[in-house]
Amino acid sequence: MINFSKRPIIAVIYLRPLLGYPQHPGINQVIDLALEDLSVLRKCGIDAALLENEHDTPYTVKASKEVISSMSVVAHCVQREAGSYNIGSEFLINDPEASLAIAKAAGNSF
């Protein structure tokens, strides 16, 4: 649980391109690299991590179904590894509903 009485440090894990993008390296590699980043952040004392699909280019205004589903899978795997460590999900640009759906499906805390 994040202690909001102090100023928490929330770092971002930029996911590799997700399903549907030409540079998508495969879901297992996206998960493995996100878990490596999570391990580093935890060792550095970061309070929480936000997953973001920064490398999904070209950017879109609304999330496609394959991006929502693949990001949900990645976020779930990261949350499972993280345990009680706070993980959040954010779909870039202007789709807050996708962000909330991914976070809810993955069991993220924000």
Side-chain angles (χ1 to χ4, degrees):
M1 180 64 67
I2 296 176
N3 178 359
F4 287 103
S5 64
K6 65 176 189 125
R7 292 185 176 154
I9 298 173
I10 302 173
V12 179
I13 296 175
Y14 293 116
L15 302 176
R16 299 321 186 270
L18 296 168
L19 187 62
Y21 287 91
Q23 297 83 17
H24 176 61
I27 196 72
N28 289 332
Q29 187 173 1
V30 175
I31 292 166
D32 290 346
L33 293 170
L35 292 175
E36 284 180 26
D37 289 349
L38 173 66
S39 177
V40 170
L41 296 178
R42 292 179 82 171
K43 287 177 185 173
C44 291
I46 302 298
D47 297 302
L50 177 65
L51 303 175
E52 201 172 270
N53 64 321
E54 175 69 27
H55 297 292
D56 288 350
T57 57
Y59 298 134
T60 61
V61 174
K62 293 289 181 182
S64 66
K65 291 177 176 96
E66 62 269 17
V67 174
I68 292 172
S69 62
S70 61
M71 190 164 171
S72 296
V73 168
V74 174
H76 173 74
C77 291
V78 171
Q79 188 65 65
R80 178 188 276 173
E81 179 71 23
S84 62
Y85 188 79
N86 291 287
I87 301 293
S89 289
E90 178 183 12
F91 183 83
L92 285 177
I93 310 297
N94 296 315
D95 201 342
E97 290 175 352
S99 297
L100 292 172
I102 292 163
K104 180 70 173 175
N108 297 153
S109 53
F110 65 101

XYZ file of all heavy atoms in Angstrom:
838
model
N 0.847 -1.176 0.000
C 0.000 0.000 0.000
C 0.894 1.241 0.000
O 1.867 1.296 0.735
C -0.908 -0.037 1.219
C -1.860 1.124 1.350
S -3.113 1.308 0.077
C -4.134 -0.092 0.330
N 0.553 2.211 -0.811
C 1.323 3.450 -0.882
C 1.032 4.290 0.356
O -0.120 4.474 0.740
C 0.956 4.265 -2.142
C 1.327 3.501 -3.405
C 1.667 5.613 -2.131
C 0.909 4.173 -4.685
N 2.068 4.805 0.974
C 1.929 5.703 2.115
C 1.841 7.126 1.568
O 2.849 7.705 1.170
C 3.126 5.539 3.055
C 3.075 6.484 4.233
O 2.153 7.292 4.362
N 4.059 6.381 5.100
N 0.647 7.680 1.556
C 0.455 9.011 0.993
C 0.792 10.127 1.980
O 0.676 11.298 1.651
C -0.970 9.172 0.461
C -1.191 8.415 -0.815
C -1.876 7.230 -0.823
C -0.672 8.898 -2.013
C -2.062 6.524 -1.994
C -0.852 8.201 -3.189
C -1.547 7.020 -3.179
N 1.227 9.772 3.207
C 1.661 10.812 4.137
C 3.036 11.341 3.744
O 3.439 12.407 4.155
C 1.670 10.277 5.569
O 2.623 9.248 5.698
N 3.762 10.565 2.968
C 5.006 11.053 2.392
C 4.776 11.216 0.893
O 3.728 10.883 0.381
C 6.161 10.074 2.650
C 6.001 8.737 1.973
C 7.226 7.878 2.192
C 7.134 6.637 1.319
N 8.281 6.472 0.470
N 5.735 11.742 0.203
C 5.595 11.897 -1.248
C 6.088 10.619 -1.917
O 7.297 10.404 -2.020
C 6.391 13.103 -1.723
C 5.795 14.389 -1.217
C 6.518 15.559 -1.787
N 5.854 16.767 -1.364
C 6.437 17.921 -1.249
N 7.719 18.053 -1.538
N 5.764 18.975 -0.864
N 5.157 9.787 -2.369
C 5.584 8.521 -2.971
C 6.257 8.745 -4.321
O 5.961 9.702 -5.039
C 4.272 7.749 -3.149
C 3.227 8.801 -3.228
C 3.719 9.940 -2.360
N 7.164 7.861 -4.637
C 7.819 7.880 -5.942
C 7.192 6.773 -6.777
O 7.239 5.598 -6.410
C 9.335 7.660 -5.815
C 9.960 8.795 -5.003
C 9.975 7.561 -7.200
C 11.419 8.587 -4.675
N 6.576 7.175 -7.889
C 5.960 6.235 -8.815
C 6.750 6.295 -10.111
O 6.848 7.344 -10.740
C 4.480 6.577 -9.061
C 3.711 6.567 -7.732
C 3.873 5.593 -10.063
C 2.287 7.059 -7.837
N 7.321 5.178 -10.489
C 8.108 5.101 -11.722
C 7.262 4.457 -12.812
O 6.257 3.805 -12.539
C 9.371 4.288 -11.482
N 7.685 4.644 -14.051
C 6.951 4.102 -15.187
C 7.736 2.952 -15.808
O 8.947 3.045 -16.002
C 6.694 5.189 -16.251
C 5.945 4.615 -17.447
C 5.924 6.355 -15.655
N 7.020 1.873 -16.093
C 7.570 0.765 -16.874
C 6.979 0.909 -18.268
O 5.769 0.758 -18.462
C 7.200 -0.599 -16.267
C 7.832 -0.765 -14.889
C 7.616 -1.728 -17.217
C 7.419 -2.030 -14.156
N 7.837 1.261 -19.221
C 7.387 1.410 -20.605
C 7.410 0.035 -21.267
O 8.474 -0.542 -21.467
C 8.281 2.380 -21.370
C 8.172 3.798 -20.879
C 9.259 4.443 -20.314
C 6.965 4.494 -20.979
C 9.157 5.756 -19.860
C 6.859 5.795 -20.528
C 7.953 6.423 -19.973
O 7.840 7.708 -19.522
N 6.225 -0.461 -21.583
C 6.115 -1.778 -22.203
C 6.613 -1.749 -23.637
O 6.474 -0.745 -24.331
C 4.660 -2.247 -22.173
C 4.018 -2.336 -20.787
C 2.551 -2.728 -20.922
C 4.774 -3.321 -19.904
N 7.160 -2.862 -24.088
C 7.537 -2.998 -25.492
C 6.261 -3.017 -26.320
O 5.172 -3.192 -25.779
C 8.354 -4.271 -25.720
C 9.686 -4.358 -24.956
C 10.423 -3.025 -24.888
N 11.741 -3.107 -24.297
C 12.009 -2.969 -23.005
N 11.048 -2.760 -22.136
N 13.253 -3.024 -22.567
N 6.350 -2.844 -27.629
C 5.136 -2.793 -28.454
C 4.230 -4.005 -28.208
O 4.704 -5.138 -28.115
C 5.675 -2.788 -29.881
C 7.033 -2.181 -29.765
C 7.559 -2.674 -28.449
N 2.961 -3.718 -28.095
C 1.980 -4.751 -27.800
C 1.407 -5.357 -29.077
O 1.714 -4.922 -30.193
C 0.878 -4.169 -26.909
C 1.370 -3.716 -25.529
C 0.318 -2.893 -24.817
C 1.772 -4.921 -24.687
N 0.577 -6.347 -28.891
C -0.043 -7.078 -29.994
C -0.722 -6.120 -30.970
O -1.420 -5.202 -30.560
C -1.073 -8.054 -29.424
C -1.715 -9.036 -30.373
C -0.664 -9.961 -30.962
C -2.775 -9.837 -29.645
N -0.472 -6.323 -32.248
C -1.074 -5.480 -33.278
C -0.120 -4.458 -33.853
O -0.422 -3.828 -34.862
N 1.030 -4.277 -33.219
C 2.030 -3.334 -33.721
C 3.159 -4.110 -34.393
O 3.540 -5.187 -33.924
C 2.573 -2.451 -32.595
C 1.554 -1.432 -32.168
C 0.664 -1.698 -31.143
C 1.461 -0.213 -32.828
C -0.300 -0.770 -30.774
C 0.501 0.721 -32.461
C -0.373 0.430 -31.441
O -1.331 1.347 -31.087
N 3.691 -3.576 -35.488
C 4.698 -4.317 -36.265
C 5.933 -4.739 -35.462
O 6.501 -5.787 -35.716
C 5.104 -3.339 -37.372
C 4.040 -2.313 -37.428
C 3.381 -2.283 -36.076
N 6.336 -3.956 -34.488
C 7.543 -4.264 -33.718
C 7.265 -5.159 -32.505
O 8.154 -5.374 -31.678
C 8.221 -2.971 -33.250
C 8.718 -2.083 -34.372
C 7.608 -1.203 -34.949
O 6.562 -1.007 -34.348
N 7.824 -0.688 -36.154
N 6.042 -5.670 -32.379
C 5.688 -6.530 -31.241
C 6.624 -7.736 -31.186
O 6.688 -8.523 -32.127
C 4.230 -6.986 -31.371
C 3.789 -7.940 -30.311
N 3.788 -7.610 -28.977
C 3.347 -9.214 -30.389
C 3.345 -8.640 -28.281
N 3.073 -9.627 -29.119
N 7.390 -7.885 -30.085
C 8.380 -8.967 -30.006
C 7.801 -10.302 -29.534
O 8.537 -11.272 -29.397
C 9.384 -8.428 -28.980
C 8.541 -7.608 -28.063
C 7.487 -6.978 -28.956
N 6.510 -10.329 -29.251
C 5.878 -11.518 -28.672
C 5.523 -11.238 -27.229
O 6.260 -10.540 -26.517
N 4.398 -11.759 -26.795
C 3.883 -11.432 -25.461
C 4.833 -11.884 -24.355
O 5.000 -11.188 -23.348
C 2.458 -12.000 -25.260
C 1.762 -11.346 -24.065
C 2.476 -13.511 -25.139
C 1.337 -9.941 -24.289
N 5.490 -13.027 -24.527
C 6.408 -13.502 -23.479
C 7.576 -12.553 -23.279
O 7.984 -12.295 -22.144
C 6.907 -14.910 -23.788
C 5.814 -15.945 -23.629
O 4.889 -15.760 -22.839
N 5.913 -17.021 -24.385
N 8.107 -11.999 -24.345
C 9.221 -11.059 -24.212
C 8.749 -9.759 -23.573
O 9.462 -9.182 -22.748
C 9.873 -10.778 -25.559
C 11.136 -9.940 -25.399
C 11.915 -9.782 -26.688
O 11.526 -10.265 -27.733
N 13.026 -9.080 -26.602
N 7.547 -9.291 -23.920
C 7.008 -8.078 -23.297
C 6.892 -8.291 -21.790
O 7.293 -7.439 -20.992
C 5.644 -7.689 -23.913
C 5.033 -6.509 -23.172
C 5.784 -7.377 -25.397
N 6.367 -9.444 -21.394
C 6.210 -9.760 -19.965
C 7.576 -9.855 -19.287
O 7.793 -9.252 -18.229
C 5.416 -11.064 -19.786
C 3.971 -10.870 -20.229
C 5.480 -11.550 -18.331
C 3.189 -12.166 -20.404
N 8.502 -10.601 -19.876
C 9.822 -10.784 -19.261
C 10.548 -9.462 -19.058
O 11.143 -9.220 -17.990
C 10.693 -11.711 -20.118
C 10.214 -13.161 -20.110
O 9.382 -13.518 -19.248
O 10.665 -13.925 -20.990
N 10.494 -8.580 -20.040
C 11.173 -7.287 -19.921
C 10.495 -6.395 -18.878
O 11.162 -5.676 -18.136
C 11.259 -6.604 -21.275
C 12.173 -7.329 -22.280
C 12.009 -6.736 -23.682
C 13.623 -7.270 -21.838
N 9.170 -6.452 -18.804
C 8.455 -5.677 -17.782
C 8.815 -6.177 -16.385
O 8.992 -5.373 -15.453
C 6.946 -5.754 -18.013
N 8.937 -7.482 -16.230
C 9.309 -8.044 -14.927
C 10.740 -7.678 -14.543
O 11.024 -7.442 -13.362
C 9.122 -9.561 -14.922
C 7.670 -10.040 -14.998
C 7.613 -11.558 -15.103
C 6.862 -9.538 -13.809
N 11.633 -7.616 -15.519
C 12.999 -7.153 -15.238
C 12.979 -5.715 -14.735
O 13.660 -5.381 -13.755
C 13.860 -7.231 -16.501
C 14.305 -8.610 -16.878
C 15.151 -8.616 -18.142
O 15.802 -7.589 -18.454
O 15.162 -9.651 -18.824
N 12.202 -4.866 -15.401
C 12.093 -3.471 -14.975
C 11.512 -3.379 -13.569
O 11.979 -2.590 -12.734
C 11.229 -2.667 -15.949
C 11.904 -2.437 -17.287
O 13.118 -2.710 -17.418
O 11.211 -1.962 -18.214
N 10.483 -4.173 -13.283
C 9.870 -4.189 -11.960
C 10.902 -4.545 -10.898
O 10.966 -3.893 -9.844
C 8.708 -5.185 -11.924
C 8.093 -5.424 -10.549
C 7.408 -4.168 -10.030
C 7.116 -6.598 -10.616
N 11.714 -5.544 -11.163
C 12.740 -5.962 -10.206
C 13.703 -4.827 -9.888
O 14.040 -4.585 -8.721
C 13.492 -7.164 -10.765
O 14.533 -7.543 -9.902
N 14.132 -4.100 -10.909
C 15.047 -2.970 -10.712
C 14.384 -1.885 -9.869
O 14.980 -1.352 -8.921
C 15.522 -2.403 -12.067
C 16.265 -1.093 -11.884
C 16.377 -3.422 -12.797
N 13.137 -1.551 -10.197
C 12.440 -0.493 -9.454
C 12.285 -0.854 -7.985
O 12.476 -0.001 -7.104
C 11.070 -0.217 -10.077
C 11.086 0.327 -11.502
C 9.666 0.500 -12.022
C 11.853 1.634 -11.581
N 11.946 -2.093 -7.708
C 11.778 -2.524 -6.318
C 13.103 -2.451 -5.562
O 13.143 -2.004 -4.413
C 11.192 -3.920 -6.269
C 9.751 -3.942 -6.779
C 9.179 -5.315 -6.758
N 8.711 -5.589 -5.402
C 8.000 -6.657 -5.080
N 7.708 -7.559 -5.983
N 7.603 -6.842 -3.845
N 14.187 -2.869 -6.212
C 15.508 -2.813 -5.571
C 15.926 -1.378 -5.280
O 16.680 -1.128 -4.339
C 16.554 -3.492 -6.457
C 16.432 -4.986 -6.488
C 17.437 -5.606 -7.434
C 17.214 -7.102 -7.546
N 18.063 -7.720 -8.567
N 15.446 -0.441 -6.083
C 15.800 0.976 -5.914
C 14.903 1.693 -4.913
O 15.073 2.892 -4.682
C 15.739 1.690 -7.261
S 17.037 1.156 -8.397
N 13.938 1.000 -4.338
C 13.084 1.597 -3.327
C 11.926 2.424 -3.869
O 11.341 3.215 -3.136
N 11.590 2.236 -5.115
C 10.456 2.952 -5.711
C 9.171 2.444 -5.063
O 9.006 1.249 -4.830
C 10.432 2.732 -7.245
C 11.745 3.195 -7.880
C 9.232 3.386 -7.886
C 12.054 4.653 -7.707
N 8.222 3.353 -4.787
C 6.997 3.000 -4.066
C 5.964 2.265 -4.916
O 5.178 1.470 -4.400
C 6.346 4.264 -3.492
C 7.253 4.942 -2.479
O 7.629 4.287 -1.494
O 7.597 6.120 -2.696
N 5.909 2.559 -6.204
C 4.904 1.955 -7.074
C 5.368 2.071 -8.516
O 6.278 2.841 -8.823
C 3.558 2.652 -6.904
N 4.727 1.304 -9.396
C 5.071 1.349 -10.818
C 3.810 1.489 -11.656
O 2.782 0.888 -11.352
C 5.825 0.090 -11.226
N 3.922 2.272 -12.705
C 2.830 2.482 -13.647
C 3.234 1.864 -14.973
O 4.289 2.189 -15.525
C 2.580 3.986 -13.831
C 1.513 4.380 -14.843
C 0.137 3.908 -14.396
C 1.520 5.888 -15.042
N 2.420 0.961 -15.489
C 2.677 0.346 -16.791
C 2.098 1.242 -17.871
O 0.964 1.710 -17.751
C 2.017 -1.031 -16.880
C 2.424 -2.029 -15.808
C 1.600 -3.304 -15.947
C 3.901 -2.335 -15.889
N 2.866 1.465 -18.913
C 2.418 2.351 -19.980
C 2.832 1.773 -21.330
O 3.910 1.203 -21.463
C 3.042 3.735 -19.769
C 2.312 4.846 -20.451
C 2.882 6.187 -20.034
O 2.399 6.754 -19.034
O 3.806 6.665 -20.714
N 1.999 1.960 -22.344
C 2.273 1.421 -23.681
C 2.935 2.467 -24.575
O 2.531 2.680 -25.706
C 0.990 0.878 -24.305
C -0.047 1.941 -24.551
O -0.227 2.848 -23.751
N -0.746 1.837 -25.665
N 3.994 3.044 -24.087
C 4.719 4.121 -24.769
C 5.221 3.734 -26.155
O 5.277 4.549 -27.061
C 5.906 4.554 -23.899
C 6.817 5.575 -24.523
C 6.184 6.947 -24.670
O 5.275 7.284 -23.890
O 6.608 7.686 -25.577
N 5.582 2.476 -26.335
C 6.197 2.061 -27.602
C 5.196 1.587 -28.653
O 5.597 1.076 -29.695
C 7.249 0.985 -27.335
C 8.377 1.491 -26.501
N 9.282 2.435 -26.946
C 8.735 1.211 -25.217
C 10.153 2.700 -25.994
N 9.846 1.978 -24.935
N 3.907 1.762 -28.393
C 2.885 1.417 -29.377
C 2.729 2.580 -30.357
O 1.940 3.496 -30.142
C 1.542 1.135 -28.700
C 1.522 -0.176 -27.951
O 2.471 -0.960 -28.109
O 0.555 -0.419 -27.216
N 3.530 2.556 -31.396
C 3.474 3.628 -32.391
C 3.141 3.053 -33.758
O 3.552 1.933 -34.078
C 4.814 4.387 -32.462
O 5.855 3.469 -32.753
C 5.108 5.120 -31.182
N 2.384 3.759 -34.562
C 1.899 5.123 -34.331
C 0.802 5.137 -33.270
O 0.039 4.195 -33.130
C 1.350 5.541 -35.697
C 0.952 4.262 -36.345
C 1.929 3.229 -35.845
N 0.757 6.225 -32.494
C -0.232 6.368 -31.428
C -1.638 6.433 -31.999
O -1.855 6.913 -33.110
C 0.031 7.628 -30.599
C 1.364 7.624 -29.900
C 2.181 8.737 -29.935
C 1.807 6.514 -29.199
C 3.404 8.753 -29.286
C 3.027 6.514 -28.548
C 3.820 7.639 -28.598
O 5.025 7.645 -27.957
N -2.586 5.936 -31.209
C -3.996 6.018 -31.578
C -4.744 6.751 -30.473
O -4.269 6.833 -29.340
C -4.604 4.621 -31.762
O -4.502 3.908 -30.528
C -3.888 3.844 -32.855
N -5.904 7.267 -30.797
C -6.707 7.967 -29.803
C -7.453 6.971 -28.925
O -7.572 7.160 -27.722
C -7.697 8.948 -30.476
C -8.625 9.577 -29.456
C -6.928 10.024 -31.223
N -7.924 5.895 -29.499
C -8.638 4.861 -28.752
C -7.875 3.548 -28.841
O -7.278 3.226 -29.871
C -10.055 4.651 -29.316
C -10.974 5.835 -29.104
C -11.349 5.963 -27.651
C -12.296 7.130 -27.440
N -12.641 7.299 -26.045
N -7.928 2.784 -27.775
C -7.243 1.496 -27.723
C -7.976 0.466 -28.573
O -9.202 0.405 -28.561
C -7.181 1.005 -26.284
N -7.212 -0.340 -29.290
C -7.818 -1.446 -30.039
C -8.010 -2.633 -29.091
O -7.370 -2.720 -28.036
C -6.931 -1.842 -31.214
O -5.719 -2.388 -30.731
N -8.858 -3.550 -29.496
C -9.146 -4.713 -28.649
C -7.900 -5.548 -28.374
O -7.695 -6.025 -27.258
C -10.238 -5.561 -29.303
C -11.589 -4.884 -29.310
C -12.616 -5.735 -30.032
C -13.978 -5.100 -29.944
N -14.335 -4.306 -31.068
N -7.038 -5.718 -29.391
C -5.856 -6.549 -29.179
C -4.854 -5.880 -28.233
O -4.163 -6.551 -27.469
C -5.184 -6.947 -30.498
C -4.647 -5.823 -31.333
C -5.634 -5.267 -32.347
O -6.847 -5.506 -32.229
O -5.174 -4.568 -33.258
N -4.793 -4.554 -28.250
C -3.889 -3.862 -27.327
C -4.433 -3.938 -25.902
O -3.683 -4.209 -24.959
C -3.656 -2.397 -27.757
C -2.843 -1.659 -26.718
C -2.959 -2.347 -29.091
N -5.735 -3.738 -25.744
C -6.341 -3.850 -24.410
C -6.120 -5.253 -23.854
O -5.707 -5.416 -22.702
C -7.839 -3.501 -24.440
C -8.036 -2.016 -24.733
C -8.502 -3.864 -23.106
C -9.476 -1.616 -24.973
N -6.373 -6.268 -24.660
C -6.240 -7.636 -24.157
C -4.784 -7.977 -23.844
O -4.493 -8.564 -22.798
C -6.845 -8.640 -25.131
O -6.182 -8.609 -26.369
N -3.849 -7.604 -24.724
C -2.453 -7.949 -24.463
C -1.896 -7.152 -23.283
O -1.139 -7.700 -22.469
C -1.585 -7.783 -25.709
O -1.571 -6.464 -26.181
N -2.274 -5.886 -23.156
C -1.797 -5.105 -22.010
C -2.398 -5.643 -20.709
O -1.732 -5.644 -19.674
C -2.116 -3.621 -22.192
C -1.443 -2.746 -21.161
S -1.457 -1.023 -21.666
C -0.863 -0.244 -20.171
N -3.631 -6.138 -20.758
C -4.249 -6.741 -19.569
C -3.482 -7.982 -19.130
O -3.258 -8.193 -17.934
C -5.714 -7.104 -19.852
O -6.472 -5.959 -20.106
N -3.067 -8.800 -20.080
C -2.293 -10.002 -19.767
C -0.957 -9.618 -19.130
O -0.567 -10.171 -18.099
C -2.077 -10.864 -21.032
C -1.038 -11.950 -20.792
C -3.391 -11.462 -21.500
N -0.273 -8.661 -19.739
C 1.021 -8.215 -19.203
C 0.836 -7.635 -17.803
O 1.576 -7.979 -16.870
C 1.689 -7.187 -20.141
C 2.951 -6.614 -19.503
C 1.998 -7.803 -21.500
N -0.151 -6.771 -17.644
C -0.387 -6.140 -16.342
C -0.729 -7.178 -15.280
O -0.287 -7.067 -14.127
C -1.497 -5.100 -16.469
N -1.491 -8.184 -15.649
C -1.825 -9.253 -14.700
C -0.569 -10.010 -14.275
O -0.372 -10.287 -13.082
C -2.847 -10.210 -15.314
C -3.100 -11.409 -14.464
N -3.832 -11.361 -13.301
C -2.679 -12.689 -14.594
C -3.857 -12.564 -12.752
N -3.167 -13.380 -13.520
N 0.281 -10.351 -15.225
C 1.520 -11.074 -14.904
C 2.441 -10.240 -14.017
O 3.044 -10.764 -13.071
C 2.240 -11.475 -16.191
S 1.382 -12.753 -17.125
N 2.537 -8.960 -14.307
C 3.364 -8.070 -13.486
C 2.767 -7.968 -12.084
O 3.487 -8.043 -11.086
C 3.512 -6.684 -14.146
C 4.169 -5.695 -13.200
C 4.310 -6.794 -15.440
N 1.441 -7.821 -11.983
C 0.794 -7.719 -10.672
C 0.975 -9.000 -9.875
O 1.232 -8.953 -8.667
C -0.696 -7.411 -10.825
C -1.391 -7.112 -9.500
C -0.870 -5.851 -8.849
O -1.028 -4.774 -9.383
N -0.265 -5.967 -7.680
N 0.882 -10.137 -10.521
C 1.061 -11.420 -9.831
C 2.462 -11.496 -9.227
O 2.638 -11.901 -8.090
C 0.840 -12.580 -10.792
C 1.072 -13.927 -10.097
C 1.036 -15.052 -11.072
N -0.339 -15.439 -11.288
C -0.714 -16.315 -12.205
N 0.174 -16.850 -13.013
N -1.971 -16.658 -12.323
N 3.465 -11.092 -10.001
C 4.852 -11.100 -9.513
C 5.047 -10.055 -8.415
O 5.811 -10.273 -7.473
C 5.811 -10.821 -10.677
C 7.259 -10.786 -10.301
C 7.826 -12.154 -9.944
O 7.275 -13.178 -10.379
O 8.842 -12.178 -9.224
N 4.361 -8.926 -8.541
C 4.544 -7.809 -7.604
C 3.910 -8.054 -6.241
O 4.306 -7.431 -5.259
C 3.981 -6.529 -8.218
N 2.922 -8.929 -6.178
C 2.239 -9.168 -4.903
C 1.515 -7.922 -4.438
O 0.717 -7.337 -5.168
N 1.833 -7.451 -3.228
C 1.145 -6.273 -2.679
C 1.761 -4.950 -3.143
O 1.265 -3.885 -2.798
C 1.145 -6.327 -1.152
O 2.480 -6.305 -0.663
N 2.837 -5.030 -3.898
C 3.463 -3.828 -4.459
C 2.473 -3.166 -5.416
O 1.814 -3.842 -6.209
C 4.737 -4.241 -5.201
C 5.614 -3.119 -5.683
C 6.463 -2.457 -4.807
C 5.616 -2.747 -7.012
C 7.305 -1.450 -5.253
C 6.457 -1.745 -7.474
C 7.292 -1.094 -6.588
O 8.117 -0.101 -7.035
N 2.355 -1.852 -5.337
C 1.360 -1.132 -6.120
C 1.740 -1.012 -7.591
O 2.800 -0.484 -7.915
C 1.139 0.273 -5.543
C 0.452 0.214 -4.211
O -0.724 -0.059 -4.129
N 1.214 0.436 -3.150
N 0.854 -1.494 -8.457
C 1.015 -1.425 -9.901
C -0.203 -0.715 -10.472
O -1.334 -0.967 -10.062
C 1.125 -2.837 -10.527
C 2.305 -3.615 -9.949
C 1.191 -2.757 -12.052
C 3.662 -3.056 -10.307
N 0.031 0.163 -11.441
C -1.059 0.832 -12.144
C -0.903 0.636 -13.641
O 0.157 0.242 -14.119
N -1.967 0.896 -14.379
C -1.939 0.775 -15.834
C -2.483 2.041 -16.463
O -3.478 2.594 -15.996
C -2.786 -0.411 -16.297
O -2.177 -1.623 -15.959
N -1.807 2.477 -17.528
C -2.255 3.660 -18.255
C -2.119 3.411 -19.752
O -1.026 3.122 -20.247
C -1.418 4.887 -17.881
C -1.825 6.110 -18.663
C -0.967 7.318 -18.359
O 0.086 7.180 -17.712
O -1.347 8.400 -18.802
N -3.237 3.540 -20.462
C -3.180 3.489 -21.910
C -2.950 4.908 -22.379
O -3.668 5.838 -22.001
C -4.481 2.929 -22.508
C -4.400 2.799 -23.996
C -3.809 1.694 -24.564
C -4.860 3.806 -24.819
C -3.683 1.586 -25.941
C -4.745 3.710 -26.195
C -4.160 2.599 -26.760
N -1.933 5.107 -23.201
C -1.562 6.449 -23.633
C -2.632 7.149 -24.466
O -3.496 6.519 -25.046
C -0.276 6.389 -24.456
C 0.977 6.171 -23.641
C 2.179 6.056 -24.562
C 1.199 7.303 -22.667
N -2.503 8.406 -24.577
C -3.299 9.354 -25.354
C -4.623 9.612 -24.637
O -4.598 10.073 -23.526
C -3.469 8.924 -26.833
C -2.102 8.577 -27.442
C -4.147 10.002 -27.659
C -1.113 9.714 -27.518
N -5.747 9.309 -25.224
C -7.029 9.758 -24.668
C -8.029 8.638 -24.478
O -9.156 8.728 -24.928
C -7.644 10.815 -25.585
C -6.805 12.069 -25.657
O -6.359 12.550 -24.633
N -6.575 12.576 -26.842
N -7.649 7.581 -23.799
C -8.580 6.485 -23.573
C -8.560 6.041 -22.115
O -8.072 4.963 -21.788
C -8.268 5.315 -24.508
C -9.448 4.384 -24.690
O -10.381 4.427 -23.859
O -9.440 3.616 -25.659
N -9.107 6.894 -21.225
C -9.095 6.530 -19.809
C -9.926 5.287 -19.510
O -9.621 4.559 -18.568
C -9.665 7.768 -19.105
C -10.426 8.498 -20.164
C -9.730 8.201 -21.453
N -10.945 5.015 -20.318
C -11.752 3.809 -20.101
C -10.901 2.554 -20.315
O -11.038 1.579 -19.588
C -12.973 3.803 -21.006
C -13.998 4.847 -20.608
C -15.168 4.929 -21.566
O -15.127 4.277 -22.644
O -16.121 5.637 -21.243
N -10.034 2.592 -21.324
C -9.132 1.453 -21.556
C -8.187 1.286 -20.369
O -7.957 0.160 -19.915
C -8.348 1.634 -22.846
N -7.648 2.377 -19.861
C -6.750 2.305 -18.699
C -7.441 1.661 -17.515
O -6.883 0.783 -16.849
C -6.273 3.707 -18.309
O -5.530 4.293 -19.334
N -8.667 2.090 -17.242
C -9.417 1.541 -16.107
C -9.770 0.073 -16.334
O -9.693 -0.737 -15.403
C -10.674 2.359 -15.854
C -10.426 3.773 -15.336
C -11.727 4.570 -15.308
C -9.784 3.739 -13.955
N -10.142 -0.280 -17.552
C -10.479 -1.679 -17.857
C -9.269 -2.580 -17.682
O -9.378 -3.679 -17.114
C -11.024 -1.791 -19.273
N -8.117 -2.135 -18.162
C -6.879 -2.921 -18.028
C -6.526 -3.084 -16.552
O -6.236 -4.189 -16.093
C -5.736 -2.248 -18.811
C -6.013 -2.324 -20.320
C -4.391 -2.873 -18.462
C -5.183 -1.365 -21.160
N -6.554 -1.994 -15.799
C -6.217 -2.051 -14.372
C -7.171 -2.973 -13.623
O -6.742 -3.767 -12.772
C -6.235 -0.650 -13.771
N -8.444 -2.894 -13.921
C -9.445 -3.737 -13.258
C -9.220 -5.207 -13.598
O -9.203 -6.067 -12.711
C -10.846 -3.300 -13.672
C -11.961 -4.088 -13.065
C -12.095 -3.815 -11.595
C -13.340 -4.491 -11.046
N -13.440 -4.353 -9.616
N -9.038 -5.515 -14.882
C -8.832 -6.895 -15.318
C -7.565 -7.497 -14.718
O -7.522 -8.685 -14.397
C -8.784 -6.972 -16.841
N -6.534 -6.673 -14.566
C -5.236 -7.155 -14.077
C -5.150 -7.182 -12.561
O -4.200 -7.742 -12.012
C -4.127 -6.272 -14.631
N -6.103 -6.565 -11.881
C -6.041 -6.490 -10.423
C -5.070 -5.437 -9.925
O -4.580 -5.514 -8.804
N -4.804 -4.441 -10.763
C -3.905 -3.348 -10.377
C -4.576 -2.445 -9.347
O -5.790 -2.370 -9.277
C -3.508 -2.509 -11.579
C -2.714 -3.259 -12.637
O -2.758 -2.898 -13.787
N -2.002 -4.304 -12.269
N -3.766 -1.723 -8.590
C -4.311 -0.843 -7.562
C -4.627 0.554 -8.063
O -5.306 1.316 -7.389
C -3.366 -0.774 -6.355
O -2.053 -0.440 -6.750
N -4.139 0.900 -9.265
C -4.491 2.197 -9.851
C -4.277 2.163 -11.335
O -3.749 1.218 -11.892
C -3.719 3.361 -9.207
C -2.231 3.349 -9.412
C -1.667 4.166 -10.376
C -1.385 2.547 -8.646
C -0.294 4.183 -10.574
C -0.028 2.552 -8.824
C 0.530 3.374 -9.803
